[in-house]
Amino acid sequence: MRGVVFDGKRTEVVDDLEIRDPGPGEVLVAVAAAGLCHSDLSVIDGTIPFPPPVVLGHEGAGVVEAVGAGVRHVAPGDHVSLSTLANCGACAQCDRGRPTMCRKAIGMPGQPFSRRGKPLYQFASNSAFAERTLVKAVQAVKIPADIPMTSAALIGCGVVTGVGAVLNRAKVDRGDSVVVIGTGGIGLNVIQGARIAGALTIVAVDANPAKEAAARQFGATHFLTSADGVRDILPSGADHAFECVGRAELIRTAIDLLDRHGQAILLGVPAATAEASFLVSSLFLDKSILGCRYGSSRPQRDVALYAELYREGRLLLDELVTATYPVEDFDRAADDAHEGRVARGVLVF
């Protein structure tokens, strides 16, 4: 079968991948569509260290092809959105409703794939850039069959991360003010999450003026090409500032834009060794810096919620997909994503 493989030096679309049958508690999914997220590019450029060879992709949707023993919530033929959280469901963090904090949900990559007799790692317990992938049952979330696969694919990462950061981590409330630094796939979902939460002022900041139309479509009330103008709109500062780029200097910017009792939420992924600085005295007015993993989500609940919000017209998905590519055009898709020419490009099989 076809898939996108990174061998540690280069990325290649291959057609000779193999995948094992599902074991107990596992689901085999025929992938229909997969979004190209910057985290995939970060594996390729080394920002996210990951052992090669690895089958890339982590934002996908497809149709259940087979299930292992004990799987009851999905069956062959069901449409599913795929989560990256291979959480155990039994530890103290899972039991407290914090699956993103499960220590078995990260740093333990499996090897369900093989090529020419050699095993390949699975990225983010998902590897959606393959015609078929194998996930834990908890990662397969059933969705209505009337949601287009190209849109459903985006729920499992970009939407869960961006909207979830607003609703679950920051807990943005009605009337709050929000600044979103960076309006790529994650930033646009933060913007629409803030809109859904009832934020009154939503300021989008992006150096690329061509992104204004999309930012306003998703719910931004203001658009700036520099954070220098935020204080003209919010003289006292923002209740919430989301850094969605992954640059250390922008973390400082987010903190400096806060009002008293404000929160800076970090969503962008800088290099693993990156350090940021800020004035300690700036935090004494009850300000907070919040990390956020995967939107602090509970995928079986949240993915189903977002699917219904989409069907009601309250959550935008189709508008996120600005380009689709056959998987063979991965290099072009990656280049468009890297250069910021698309909000979200989607690979289709």
Side-chain angles (χ1 to χ4, degrees), residues 258-306:
L258 296 178
D259 194 359
R260 299 179 179 189
H261 210 276
Q263 302 178 134
I265 300 91
L266 312 185
L267 297 179
V269 181
T273 57
E275 296 183 0
S277 64
F278 57 90
L279 291 175
V280 176
S281 60
S282 69
L283 298 184
F284 290 152
L285 294 173
D286 285 1
K287 299 180 184 180
S288 304
I289 303 171
L290 304 181
C292 184
R293 169 165 159 70
Y294 201 54
S296 300
S297 65
R298 287 177 276 176
Q300 288 291 334
R301 179 201 67 170
D302 290 351
V303 171
L305 168 64
Y306 301 150

Side-chain angles (χ1 to χ4, degrees), residues 7-339:
D7 65 6
K9 295 182 179 178
R10 69 188 187 99
T11 307
E12 180 182 9
V13 179
V14 304
D15 60 6
D16 56 353
L17 279 180
E18 296 181 353
I19 194 166
R20 63 173 174 79
D21 293 332
E26 294 180 332
V27 179
L28 181 68
V29 178
V31 179
L36 179 54
C37 174
H38 277 276
S39 293
D40 301 300
L41 303 180
S42 293
V43 173
I44 296 171
D45 67 21
T47 301
I48 297 178
F50 204 89
V54 56
V55 181
L56 294 175
H58 66 287
E59 185 182 70
V63 179
V64 174
E65 198 164 273
V67 300
V71 178
R72 297 286 184 268
H73 73 293
V74 293
D78 285 345
H79 288 212
V80 292
S81 178
L82 300 177
S83 161
T84 68
L85 280 187
N87 56 294
C88 71
C91 68
Q93 295 295 342
C94 287
D95 194 50
R96 296 171 72 184
R98 299 174 181 172
T100 58
M101 297 296 103
C102 175
R103 284 180 168 78
K104 292 187 178 180
I106 189 171
M108 297 182 178
Q111 294 180 308
F113 299 97
S114 62
R115 184 180 183 222
R116 299 171 184 171
K118 296 183 179 180
L120 290 84
Y121 285 105
Q122 185 175 38
F123 179 52
S125 302
N126 189 306
S127 290
F129 293 168
E131 287 186 88
R132 292 176 182 82
T133 191
L134 192 66
V135 297
K136 292 180 66 172
V138 72
Q139 296 176 253
V141 185
K142 186 176 179 179
I143 58 173
D146 59 359
I147 299 180
M149 286 292 187
T150 50
S151 296
L154 306 185
I155 300 177
C157 178
V159 175
V160 162
T161 299
V163 177
V166 173
L167 302 182
N168 300 329
R169 186 64 168 133
K171 300 186 185 302
V172 173
D173 202 356
R174 291 164 296 178
D176 283 357
S177 58
V178 173
V179 174
V180 183
I181 301 174
T183 61
I186 299 299
L188 290 176
N189 277 300
V190 171
I191 290 170
Q192 71 170 333
R195 169 178 52 78
I196 291 168
L200 186 62
T201 304
I202 305 171
V203 183
V205 181
D206 197 296
N208 184 353
K211 294 187 176 183
E212 179 173 2
R216 290 188 179 275
Q217 180 182 26
F218 277 74
T221 59
H222 301 76
F223 182 90
L224 301 171
T225 56
S226 168
D228 293 341
V230 170
R231 290 283 181 174
D232 294 331
I233 301 166
L234 298 170
S236 298
D239 296 313
H240 313 273
F242 294 81
E243 200 286 326
C244 304
V245 180
R247 287 169 46 187
E249 65 272 23
L250 294 179
I251 293 173
R252 170 64 180 268
T253 298
I255 295 168
D256 289 346
L257 291 175
L258 296 178
D259 194 359
R260 299 179 179 189
H261 210 276
Q263 302 178 134
I265 300 91
L266 312 185
L267 297 179
V269 181
T273 57
E275 296 183 0
S277 64
F278 57 90
L279 291 175
V280 176
S281 60
S282 69
L283 298 184
F284 290 152
L285 294 173
D286 285 1
K287 299 180 184 180
S288 304
I289 303 171
L290 304 181
C292 184
R293 169 165 159 70
Y294 201 54
S296 300
S297 65
R298 287 177 276 176
Q300 288 291 334
R301 179 201 67 170
D302 290 351
V303 171
L305 168 64
Y306 301 150
E308 287 305 316
L309 287 174
Y310 165 78
R311 297 176 83 198
E312 293 176 5
R314 297 169 62 189
L315 181 82
L316 305 182
L317 291 179
D318 303 339
E319 295 81 357
L320 279 169
V321 183
T322 46
T324 58
Y325 311 81
V327 67
E328 290 79 9
D329 281 352
F330 173 79
D331 287 342
R332 181 165 65 93
D335 186 60
D336 286 349
H338 179 72
E339 296 299 324

